[in-house]
Amino acid sequence: MSEKTHTRRRPAGRDRRTAHERHSDESEEETQQGGDELVCPECSGNVIQDEEHGETVCEECGLVVEEDSVDRGPEWRAFDAAEKDQKSRVGAPTTNTMHDKGLSTNIDWRDQDAYGRSLGARQRQKMRRLRKWNERFRTRDSKERNLKQALGEIDRMASALGLPDNVRETASVIYRRALDEDLLPGRSIEGVSTACVYAAARMAGVPRSLDEISDVSRVSKDEVARTYRYVVRELKLEVKPADPEQYVPRFASSLDLSEESEMRAKQLLKNAKEKGVHSGKSPVGLAAAAVYAAALLTNEKTTQAAVSEVADISEVTIRNRYHELLEAEDGLVA
C-alpha cells in the first residue's frame, strides 16, 4: 500500500492549479492578447472597472474578476479641465516672486540638520562653501542680480503693507516686463519696485495711498509718483482711478467700526459720486471723511484724530470732505 503511494507522484512541472484557475488564467491571457477589451472568464461578457469599490466586474453575470485593486489616481476630484490643471501636482509650483521662479535649491542659513541639531565644524564649513557656490549659480549675470534685489524689495513692501499674494505676483510680473523692455536705465531699482507695488495694488482692487507706499519705500514720494506714471505709460497698464469705496473696509476694520457704519460710509460715497462731489478730490480723503461721518450717523464713537491716523490724512482734509459729503446727502444739512 505504501509502495503504491510512493509511486503515484505528479509528473515534474505539472500544473497544480484547479481547472477553474487554469480557465481563468487562459481567459486573462486571451484578454491581454486580444487588446484592451476585457472578457468575463465565466460568460465571456463585457468586463468593466468599478473604481468606487476597487473591483473589476462583469456586466452580464456580475462576477467579480478582480477586487481590492489599487487606485493610482489622485486623491482629489475635478469637475472640469481648468480645475484639473489647477489641482495637478508635479512638484513645487513656480512663482514670479522669485528671480528663478522657485526652480533652484535653497540652502538654509542655519547650520542645523533636519532634527534641529547643530552641525559639526567640518559640516558647517562644507555647508558654507555649498551655500556660497549655490548663490553664485543662482545669480549668474547682472540681470538676475537686479531681479533678485527688486523682487526682495517687492516682497518686503508687500508684507509691510499687508498685501495679498496675488498683488505680489502681479507686481513681480510688472517689474519683469519693465526689465525686459529696458525701462530701468536712469532709474533706481527701489523706485521701480515701489511703482510696481503701487500699480499692482490698484489693479487688484486693494489700493494703498502714495503716503502709505512712500512710508515703507526707500525712495521719496515724488520719485514714486514720477516712476509710477512712467511705468504705466510705457507698459500701457490698464489702471483705473482709485475708487474711494475700496478704502472703506480697511479703514472701518482698523477703527473697529460695525458693518452698519461701513455700509453707511459706502452709501455716502455713492451719493457724492451722483452729485459729482468726488471730482478732483483725493479718494483717500473722501473715504476717511465718509467713515468718520458714517460713525457719527450710526452713533459709534470715533474721533477725527483716530481716522486721521488710520488713513494717514490730515484732520483738516477730513473736516472739509465731511461737510461736502453731508451736503450731498439728501435730507441732511451740514
Side-chain angles (χ1 to χ4, degrees), residues 209 242 244 247 278-288 313 317 321:
S209 65
Y247 294 92
H278 70 294
S279 180
K281 305 294 192 307
S282 168
V284 180
L286 282 171
I313 202 83
T317 302
R321 300 292 92 82

Side-chain angles (χ1 to χ4, degrees), residues 1 3 74 108 118 124 138 149 154 180-181 183 185 194 220 222 235-236 276 279 300 302 319:
M1 183 71 180
E3 293 180 357
D108 194 8
S118 298
R124 285 200 304 271
R138 288 183 66 188
Q149 180 181 349
I154 289 174
D180 292 338
E181 298 190 19
L183 301 183
T194 308
S220 64
D222 293 337
L235 296 181
K236 297 181 174 58
S279 180
E300 295 192 34
T302 189
R319 281 194 294 271

Side-chain angles (χ1 to χ4, degrees), residues 16-275:
R16 300 189 181 188
R17 297 172 298 175
T18 63
H20 177 69
E21 291 174 342
R22 290 199 302 273
H23 180 63
S24 300
D25 291 344
E26 290 173 359
S27 300
E28 290 178 2
E29 292 178 1
E30 292 176 357
T31 302
Q32 293 176 358
Q33 295 174 358
D36 295 336
E37 295 183 0
L38 297 175
V39 179
C40 176
E42 292 291 338
C43 65
S44 300
N46 185 31
V47 175
I48 60 172
Q49 297 286 340
D50 186 358
E51 297 181 355
E52 183 178 355
H53 299 90
E55 298 174 343
T56 304
V57 186
C58 175
E59 281 187 320
E60 305 297 333
C61 64
L63 175 69
V64 178
V65 180
E66 291 182 4
E67 61 181 355
D68 297 330
S69 60
V70 177
D71 183 7
R72 303 186 183 278
E75 79 281 2
W76 43 261
R77 294 186 301 170
F79 301 98
D80 53 31
E83 187 176 1
K84 182 178 179 182
D85 293 338
Q86 183 181 6
K87 289 186 175 181
S88 63
R89 294 192 296 272
V90 287
T94 58
T95 173
N96 285 302
T97 59
M98 300 181 69
H99 74 282
D100 53 10
K101 297 191 176 181
L103 298 176
S104 63
T105 302
N106 289 323
I107 301 178
D108 194 8
W109 59 271
R110 292 170 294 187
D111 293 324
Q112 296 177 350
D113 61 8
Y115 300 99
R117 296 175 298 201
S118 298
L119 300 178
R122 296 187 63 183
Q123 285 292 330
R124 285 200 304 271
Q125 186 179 5
K126 179 180 178 181
M127 293 308 299
R128 290 194 193 101
R129 189 165 57 251
L130 288 174
R131 196 179 295 117
K132 178 170 59 177
W133 280 105
N134 180 62
E135 197 66 24
R136 289 177 179 176
F137 282 121
R138 288 183 66 188
T139 54
R140 289 171 291 183
D141 53 28
S142 60
K143 183 177 179 180
E144 289 190 0
R145 286 194 295 270
N146 182 312
L147 197 58
K148 182 180 178 182
Q149 180 181 349
L151 297 182
E153 280 291 300
I154 289 174
D155 186 64
R156 181 188 65 80
M157 289 185 287
S159 298
L161 293 168
L163 295 173
D165 291 338
N166 64 314
V167 176
R168 305 182 191 200
E169 287 279 347
T170 304
S172 302
V173 171
I174 294 173
Y175 189 90
R176 287 176 184 272
R177 287 185 57 193
L179 186 62
D180 292 338
E181 298 190 19
D182 203 24
L183 301 183
L184 268 68
R187 289 167 181 81
S188 65
I189 295 176
E190 291 83 0
V192 179
S193 302
T194 308
C196 292
V197 172
Y198 182 53
R202 291 184 61 173
M203 293 171 68
V206 285
R208 297 295 186 269
S209 65
L210 270 176
D211 292 324
E212 292 176 295
I213 292 287
S214 60
D215 286 343
V216 300
S217 177
R218 292 191 172 98
V219 295
S220 64
K221 178 180 176 181
D222 293 337
E223 184 177 348
V224 173
R226 184 169 57 252
T227 308
Y228 165 74
R229 289 192 295 267
Y230 173 75
V231 170
V232 170
R233 182 177 67 252
E234 294 297 324
L235 296 181
K236 297 181 174 58
L237 300 178
E238 295 182 2
V239 183
K240 298 179 180 178
D243 189 349
E245 292 185 32
Q246 294 175 336
Y247 294 92
V248 170
R250 183 160 56 93
F251 293 168
S253 176
S254 300
L255 293 167
D256 294 328
L257 298 179
S258 64
E259 186 176 352
E260 181 185 1
S261 295
E262 182 179 334
M263 297 300 295
R264 192 72 178 88
K266 291 182 178 180
Q267 185 62 45
L268 286 170
L269 290 173
K270 288 179 181 178
N271 294 332
K273 291 178 185 177
E274 293 177 0
K275 299 293 180 62

